[in-house]
Amino acid sequence: HRMDEPTAAEWRPMRVATPFESLVHFACCIVGNDIVIFGGDKSGEISQETVIFDTLRRQWREGSLAKDSEMPEARYRMAFCPAPRGMYVHGGCSRHAPGEDHERARLGYLPSMYKLHVGTRTLKWTLLKPSREFGGPRAKDTVQVLRKTDHTIAFACGRLWSFGGYEELDDARRRKEDMVE
């Protein structure tokens, strides 16, 4: 569905088949005229696919990956945002809790941060290496280790900011996090 310059909440069906039947908890971001979708939960299966919707041609295509891409693990409930030098994906979950409802399962928190470089013909994922555990000294352009899910990240003033969500603690407790940079 789409909504043209919203002045009222009126969605119009687009008659474009999607490459997936049921997808929830995925990452979605605009890059130029493309909508980039990564990961998510496809009817109980956790995905690591990157698909693109070209809004001008109204066509879906799979992301053609560069040979030296460092593909992220399959994940859902991750944070995703655009930035001037690329797009970022952080955290999320790698698996569902056995016997638990999907809405309550938060096992397999992932600490990794990836940058997706979107080119005209190929996509390239780069794993950003952590410089330290949370709380230690940090060098410029490095990542600290946070195992989070259900959070948001934003790129502003040359930094990535993380808001909300749940952080996995060593004793398996979960806590809601306010904000970190």
Side-chain angles (χ1 to χ4, degrees):
H1 287 83
R2 74 163 201 232
M3 186 184 300
D4 297 320
E5 288 297 319
T7 55
E10 183 179 326
W11 292 95
R12 297 182 182 149
M14 286 188 45
R15 312 287 184 248
V16 176
T18 60
F20 36 79
E21 286 184 32
S22 173
L23 186 66
V24 295
H25 306 300
F26 55 91
C28 179
C29 199
I30 302 293
V31 178
N33 293 316
D34 294 332
I35 299 172
V36 179
I37 293 177
F38 169 73
D41 179 333
K42 293 167 71 171
S43 303
E45 295 295 320
I46 300 170
S47 172
Q48 73 177 135
E49 289 179 281
T50 306
V51 293
I52 298 169
F53 182 73
D54 182 325
T55 60
L56 298 178
R57 293 188 178 112
R58 296 184 183 205
Q59 294 178 337
W60 287 98
R61 70 179 189 276
E62 284 190 42
S64 176
L65 294 175
K67 290 181 181 181
D68 58 344
S69 270
E70 299 173 279
M71 191 68 192
E73 304 93 330
R75 61 184 68 206
Y76 72 115
R77 293 188 148 167
M78 76 295 292
F80 196 74
C81 78
R85 293 176 297 226
M87 296 171 17
Y88 298 94
V89 64
H90 174 253
C93 292
S94 63
R95 65 185 181 277
H96 296 297
E100 283 194 45
D101 183 297
H102 290 293
E103 294 303 314
R104 301 187 57 175
R106 295 191 193 344
L107 287 181
Y109 285 35
L110 296 165
S112 52
M113 167 94 61
Y114 286 85
K115 183 175 182 179
L116 175 63
H117 308 268
V118 179
T120 55
R121 297 180 192 268
T122 61
L123 303 173
K124 180 180 177 182
W125 286 100
T126 304
L127 173 63
L128 301 179
K129 309 288 191 261
S131 63
R132 65 183 172 114
E133 292 295 322
F134 186 66
R138 179 176 62 193
K140 186 179 174 164
D141 294 329
T142 58
V143 179
Q144 57 187 348
V145 177
L146 289 174
R147 292 178 179 273
K148 293 185 79 172
T149 188
D150 296 328
H151 62 301
T152 298
I153 59 174
F155 186 82
C157 301
R159 294 181 176 185
L160 277 169
W161 301 82
S162 175
F163 300 91
Y166 295 93
E167 183 178 351
E168 184 177 64
L169 302 175
D170 290 337
D171 62 1
R173 289 181 298 126
R174 300 177 194 122
R175 68 175 171 151
K176 204 165 195 165
E177 185 68 48
D178 288 328
M179 183 172 91
V180 295
E181 69 166 302

